[in-house]
Each structure stands twice: as structure tokens, then as C-alpha cells.
Amino acid sequence: MANIFPRGSNILPIKIVVCALVLVNAISLGMWYYFTPKYTRVGYQPAQPVPFPHDVHVAQLGMDCRYCHSFVEVAAHSNIPTTQTCMNCHTQVQRDNPKLAPLRDSWATGKPMEWVQIHKTSDFVYFNHSAHVNRGVSCVSCHGKVNEMPVVFHDQPHSMDWCLNCHRNPKSALRPLNQITNLNWKPEDEDAQKFVASFGKPENSGDRDFSKAKLSQDEIGSVLLNKWHINPPDKNCAGCHR
């Protein structure tokens, strides 16, 4: 009697098992890499040529983020501060501190400081800093409480899913423009009466007495969303991939 199946079918179950194991391992490795901080860079905290304590400069000395990152309101890319920016203070303040020797060498030779960039958007992604900060998105939304960091680290994943979550619910991240670099700002700190006078009332607020009221993030965000006609791309790939 002739065989119904060819001889090669005898090893078919082994092939199926091997392929299944390869597939499962590939999926596991993919998830291990692409769904962990190793890929998203969360927690990345490189050593810098000069230790720069953001908590001292921002929280203690009250320096505004825009003093060092001066292009953030007008350019797509935020700038890393130049040696000149640092030396505006350090020609007088702690001028002989040995930790600042690389900075003084840079100043004397004209060779730029080789800072290690922590936050870097992939080349295939378009991100415009000025478009975000000029429409109420604070530095803290993407970079965390830098004012509390002795050494800056990568705080948020900056993944596609993370960005889309904000684009689909932008009111959760919006605040008045004068609070963009106030990393300690909270919605309840906002003077409700002044806010309403500047931007209008939240929907369905009726006869609410705003002289005594506290506003929620949802109320503030909703008002600013409508006032500034904010409509970030969340379905069109070309919004971020150009």
C-alpha cells in the first residue's frame, strides 16, 4: 500500500516545534528590549565632564530653564548651554573650584564643552520644542522634576505610545504660559479669578464663585485647549514622521 504522506512529513512536527520556539523567543526578546527602560532610556544618567547640579541652580538659586536652554521658545531644538553661558557666572562665582577646570579650559582654548546629551529624539521623529512650550506644555511634562535632580536623568520614556497618550488628551498637560518653567506649579495654585478673567470660564461652571474656587487640571486644560485651538496630530503619521 502506497504511503499517503511523503517521507519528509515525518519530521514536520519537529520543524513546527522548532519554529514555535524561535518565534516565542523572538517575541520575548523583542518585549524585553522594546518594553523596558533599556530601550526607552528611562533612568539614563551619564557622567558629565563637569557635574552640574540642577537642583542647586534651579531650586536654590532660582534660575529659569530658559537662561541655559535659551532657544526652547523659538526653535524646534532646545540648545545645550555654551561655555560662555556658564562663564557669565563662573568668572566670579566659584572661579577656582577644581570641578570647574574643564569649563575653564574650554573658556581659555575656545574648544566647546563635550556635554553628554541625555534627551535625544530619533532622527525619524519630528519634535518642535517651541510649538509645545508656546502652547502650555511645561518642561516638567517631558523632563520630570529637573529642579530636584542633583544629576539629571532621563525621566520619561518618550516612546511613540507615550507621546500619543498626550496628543489624545492634551488638556492633561496644559498650563498658563507664565508657569511653563515653574516645575512646582500645581493646578490648585492657580488664581481662579484671574485665570477666568484672562481665558474664560470652564464649561458648565454656571454661577460658580471663582473668587474662592480652586481649578482642576481638567478645567484649566479644557479652557486652554479651546482658547488656543490646540489640535495635536494623533492619527496622521506625517504629524511626527516627516
Side-chain angles (χ1 to χ4, degrees):
M1 179 178 178
N3 290 330
I4 298 176
F5 299 102
R7 187 181 299 274
S9 62
N10 292 333
I11 62 171
L12 184 60
I14 298 175
K15 290 181 178 180
I16 293 174
V17 170
V18 171
C19 290
L21 288 174
V22 170
L23 182 61
V24 169
N25 285 331
I27 293 173
S28 299
L29 288 172
M31 294 187 68
W32 173 79
Y33 182 71
Y34 289 105
F35 291 87
T36 62
K38 183 177 177 62
Y39 177 70
T40 59
R41 293 165 59 98
V42 172
Y44 176 56
Q45 190 180 60
Q48 300 289 355
V50 172
F52 183 88
H54 274 74
D55 57 344
V56 172
H57 287 77
V58 180
Q60 292 186 29
L61 301 178
M63 291 179 64
D64 190 288
C65 307
R66 293 165 293 189
Y67 180 78
C68 296
H69 305 288
S70 52
F71 295 166
V72 71
E73 293 179 301
V74 296
H77 299 285
S78 178
N79 57 304
I80 295 174
T82 63
T83 300
Q84 170 70 64
T85 300
C86 301
M87 293 302 286
N88 285 342
C89 294
H90 286 296
T91 52
Q92 303 296 324
V93 179
Q94 296 195 5
R95 55 185 299 174
D96 298 320
N97 188 327
K99 293 181 180 180
L100 300 180
L103 186 64
R104 292 193 293 271
D105 291 342
S106 172
W107 177 249
T109 63
K111 182 180 179 180
M113 287 289 297
E114 296 183 1
W115 300 109
V116 180
Q117 188 170 351
I118 299 174
H119 304 90
K120 185 177 181 180
T121 306
S122 301
D123 292 340
F124 54 81
V125 177
Y126 175 77
F127 179 85
N128 190 314
H129 271 83
S130 63
H132 287 75
V133 299
N134 287 314
R135 278 298 176 264
V137 180
S138 171
C139 313
V140 74
S141 295
C142 299
H143 300 297
K145 299 293 287 291
V146 175
N147 57 319
E148 297 177 359
M149 298 180 187
V151 179
V152 171
F153 60 87
H154 205 295
D155 184 72
Q156 297 294 326
H158 295 188
S159 63
M160 180 175 174
D161 178 66
W162 180 83
C163 293
L164 285 175
N165 284 338
C166 189
H167 277 209
R168 290 165 179 162
N169 185 33
K171 62 184 179 182
S172 65
L174 301 180
R175 61 177 67 184
L177 296 183
N178 63 351
Q179 301 296 338
I180 292 300
T181 58
N182 179 3
L183 307 187
N184 290 320
W185 179 88
K186 298 185 293 295
E188 55 267 28
D189 295 336
E190 194 67 24
D191 186 311
Q193 196 167 21
K194 290 182 179 179
F195 180 87
V196 169
S198 298
F199 303 107
K201 294 182 178 181
E203 291 184 359
N204 304 318
S205 57
D207 296 327
R208 185 175 172 187
D209 182 6
F210 288 100
S211 64
K212 301 177 181 179
K214 295 290 184 182
L215 296 174
S216 67
Q217 176 61 53
D218 188 73
E219 289 175 321
I220 291 174
S222 296
V223 170
L224 296 179
L225 187 74
N226 295 324
K227 179 73 173 180
W228 293 333
H229 307 292
I230 296 173
N231 184 28
D234 67 329
K235 296 181 177 64
N236 185 353
C237 302
C240 300
H241 302 289
R242 302 182 180 183

